[in-house]
Amino acid sequence: MVEELLHSQAGIFNFGVFFLLAVVLLLVVLGFVTYAILAERKVMGFMQLRQGPNQVGGRWGLLQTVADVLKLLVKEDTIPKLADKPLFIIAPVIGFAPAFMVMATIPFTDKLQFADLSVGLLYYIAISGLTTIGMVTGGWASNNKYALLGGMRAAAQMISYEIPLVMSVLGIILLTGSLNLNEIVAAQENVWFILLQPVAFIVFLIASVAELNRIPFDLPESENELVAGFTTEYSGFRWAMFMLAEYVYMFAMASLTTVLFLGGWLPLFSFLDFIPGAVWFALKFTVVIFLLIWFRSTFPRIRADQLMEFGWKVLLPVALANIFLTAIIKEVMNLF
């Protein structure tokens, strides 16, 4: 009886610690979203010879995003009269929840990870695909032709670019023989996969930008064609949840890119291993985030037909060719 009581108390304590760490991670991600938006606006301003935010929170505008969030929280939450109300309300939740769920399997260091799954990479890909359902649901439930077109574009784009995204990482799986993200990082102790799999990295980076619905692949939200795409009828906090999901996925995708191709928390050179792994992860992660912002600042939006043709006729064949080449090279290396 005493042993059962102690066991139950230990279980409750472990659950409490896990829940607390999950809340901390959520706060860290929300902090990232807040200042990633600010950093994006400042970097885009610098690249386009503008100031960017420079009023709220000093000359750097450090509190501009906080002010924007507060504005959204107090903004009127409108629901169209002819909308499917239950689906309209639940769609932002469906869109956001998977974005946070995928964070559970990302190893930020060898000790900082919530769930060390043997199929961590598969888990990430499977869960992230659920966000598309939220986008399509929001577009359809809005009873608005622009929102519906945006939702359908999101579904077509996600399906089309998720295939080359998955294909691009199969080369890494062939080299490591594992779907475990920790083992993939450990396999890069001598050389990062960005050097062993440069073609896969390029395909993965392009496909990840499309999965994030960012320029030049922001067709589901293109304002000059669809007003605001699947978010046309949303306002206030519900609209903010869709945008939050986009930036949380930006955090998750940059983290996954760091793990798969940049060695995760491993140092650039072995003699620099005295620097904590979390610092190395943060530095590589920041470089990937800067690349995503850079793309948005420089590339024009492509047409819908160009988007689909590029995914099916260029990225997919290149990703397949990379798999065959990787398999041949590995087989030859095994012979010797």
Side-chain angles (χ1 to χ4, degrees):
M1 184 69 180
V2 175
E3 291 181 356
E4 292 179 0
L5 181 61
L6 291 175
H7 182 72
S8 63
Q9 289 178 343
I12 294 172
F13 176 77
N14 291 334
F15 176 78
V17 172
F18 186 84
F19 180 78
L20 181 61
L21 291 174
V23 172
V24 171
L25 177 61
L26 177 61
L27 293 176
V28 169
V29 171
L30 292 178
F32 161 81
V33 171
T34 300
Y35 286 97
I37 294 172
L38 175 64
E40 186 167 38
R41 295 171 71 178
K42 294 296 287 188
V43 170
M44 289 177 65
F46 173 77
M47 290 184 172
Q48 297 168 357
L49 301 179
R50 298 183 289 104
Q51 288 292 323
N54 64 350
Q55 297 296 319
V56 184
R59 64 187 296 264
W60 289 96
L62 295 177
L63 298 177
Q64 181 63 58
T65 308
V66 177
D68 293 339
V69 171
L70 291 176
K71 181 200 72 171
L72 288 172
L73 291 176
V74 300
K75 198 171 184 179
E76 181 182 3
D77 179 27
T78 60
I79 299 179
K81 183 178 180 180
L82 298 179
D84 188 324
K85 189 173 180 180
L87 291 180
F88 186 86
I89 292 173
I90 198 67
V93 180
I94 298 174
F96 170 74
F100 187 65
M101 290 172 62
V102 297
M103 301 301 299
T105 191
I106 299 291
F108 301 102
T109 69
D110 55 343
K111 297 181 177 62
L112 183 57
Q113 184 184 21
F114 280 85
D116 184 12
L117 303 179
S118 60
V119 289
L121 182 56
L122 179 62
Y123 168 86
Y124 182 102
I125 294 169
I127 296 297
S128 62
L130 297 177
T131 295
T132 309
I133 300 175
M135 296 178 180
V136 176
T137 302
W140 184 85
S142 297
N143 196 30
N144 178 295
K145 61 181 180 181
Y146 297 114
L148 180 58
L149 285 171
M152 297 304 293
R153 279 187 179 184
Q157 180 170 318
M158 292 290 190
I159 293 170
S160 299
Y161 279 82
E162 196 160 304
I163 295 173
L165 182 80
V166 174
M167 292 294 182
S168 66
V169 300
L170 288 181
I172 292 176
I173 296 172
L174 283 173
L175 293 177
T176 59
S178 175
L179 287 166
N180 183 281
L181 294 176
N182 285 293
E183 294 180 8
I184 290 175
V185 172
Q188 301 176 71
E189 186 174 4
N190 296 321
V191 57
W192 296 351
F193 283 138
I194 190 174
L195 299 177
L196 295 179
Q197 292 279 295
V199 175
F201 173 73
I202 294 172
V203 173
F204 183 89
L205 186 62
I206 295 173
S208 65
V209 174
E211 288 287 295
L212 293 172
N213 290 332
R214 292 178 62 83
I215 290 177
F217 304 110
D218 65 329
L219 274 298
E221 304 167 13
S222 51
E223 294 183 0
N224 58 344
E225 303 169 26
L226 303 181
V227 186
F230 59 90
T231 62
T232 298
E233 297 291 355
Y234 283 90
S235 62
F237 189 67
R238 299 188 206 284
W239 180 87
M241 285 193 71
F242 274 123
M243 293 301 102
L244 180 63
E246 179 179 324
Y247 278 90
V248 172
Y249 267 127
M250 186 177 174
F251 182 97
M253 192 63 78
S255 299
L256 185 64
T257 305
T258 302
V259 167
L260 293 179
F261 293 98
L262 302 179
W265 61 84
L266 298 177
L268 182 60
F269 301 106
S270 58
F271 63 86
L272 295 175
D273 58 0
F274 63 90
I275 300 176
V279 175
W280 281 114
F281 191 97
L283 289 174
K284 299 170 187 177
F285 170 87
T286 304
V287 171
V288 178
I289 293 293
F290 178 78
L291 276 177
L292 295 176
I293 296 174
W294 189 3
F295 292 166
R296 180 177 178 181
S297 304
T298 53
F299 289 119
R301 180 186 299 121
I302 64 175
R303 297 198 315 261
D305 61 320
Q306 293 173 331
L307 172 86
M308 301 303 290
E309 287 184 3
F310 185 69
W312 290 103
K313 296 183 179 180
V314 179
L315 287 188
L316 182 57
V318 171
L320 287 171
N322 180 71
I323 295 172
F324 285 116
L325 182 61
T326 302
I328 292 171
I329 292 175
K330 184 180 180 182
E331 191 64 29
V332 171
M333 291 178 64
N334 288 339
L335 293 176
F336 293 98

